Amino acid sequence: MSSNFLIVHKKILPDYLEKVIEARNMLEAKEAATVTEAVQKAGISRNTYYKYKDYVFPYDDTRQTRRAVISLIVKDESGALSAILTFLSAHSISILTISQAVPIAQKANVLLSLDISHTSTSMESLIQQIRQLPSVRSAHLDAME
């Protein structure tokens, strides 16, 4: 199994997990001034709150974020990365992370993680278009969700 996360229906989980979320929400909304007050209102112990507060979150089924990771080999020349980022921005793609290796033999490896939830262009088409940019030697889609 490659992920540490599961999507589980709350019907099969103990009630206190939902109460942990409730207590955290009270603290964030300033409906409770302290953890003690929040857990008392939620009906759980401080121990339960601290044990699970960083591990349980409500599922947001309205979230539509799609992500992709692409790897590139680009020419080591001024403006190469800028041209790629400008291209992605023109297609309503947001950059989440950029990792660029030190250039060797006039080329550099670049790994981009992208938010592709607002683009209407297919990833296949985008990769083909990226390959056509003058500074790009190769482009590959590594992952997408």
Side-chain angles (χ1 to χ4, degrees):
M1 193 178 249
S2 63
S3 175
N4 291 330
F5 300 98
L6 300 170
I7 296 178
V8 179
H9 196 288
K10 67 183 178 181
K11 183 177 181 178
I12 68 167
L13 296 173
D15 292 341
Y16 59 80
L17 292 179
E18 195 165 12
K19 291 178 180 187
V20 168
I21 295 169
E22 181 183 337
R24 187 176 52 232
N25 289 343
M26 281 189 255
L27 288 166
E28 290 173 358
K30 308 285 189 220
E31 295 171 4
T34 64
V35 170
T36 300
E37 183 183 351
V39 299
Q40 284 174 348
K41 287 181 177 181
I44 56 173
S45 70
R46 286 174 50 92
N47 184 48
T48 298
Y49 175 77
Y50 282 114
K51 184 174 182 178
Y52 297 106
K53 73 177 181 71
D54 295 325
Y55 300 103
V56 289
F57 304 95
Y59 177 70
D60 182 3
D61 58 0
T62 63
R63 192 186 97 165
Q64 301 254 336
T65 302
R66 292 180 39 224
R67 293 177 292 213
V69 176
I70 60 173
S71 56
L72 309 165
I73 298 178
V74 299
K75 294 178 186 175
D76 181 23
E77 59 188 22
S78 181
L81 187 56
S82 178
I84 295 163
L85 299 180
T86 300
F87 169 83
L88 293 170
S89 178
H91 286 84
S92 302
I93 296 173
S94 298
I95 310 302
L96 300 173
T97 64
I98 300 172
S99 176
Q100 180 175 344
V102 175
I104 298 174
Q106 288 76 46
K107 50 187 177 177
N109 292 319
V110 178
L111 188 68
L112 300 173
S113 60
L114 312 169
D115 177 345
I116 58 171
S117 49
H118 300 293
T119 189
S120 58
T121 310
S122 73
M123 281 308 295
E124 181 180 322
S125 175
L126 285 166
I127 295 295
Q128 289 174 354
Q129 292 177 56
I130 291 169
R131 288 179 181 141
Q132 301 304 311
L133 295 173
S135 58
V136 175
R137 296 238 174 127
S138 73
H140 183 264
L141 177 64
D142 293 332
M144 188 171 78
E145 69 172 357

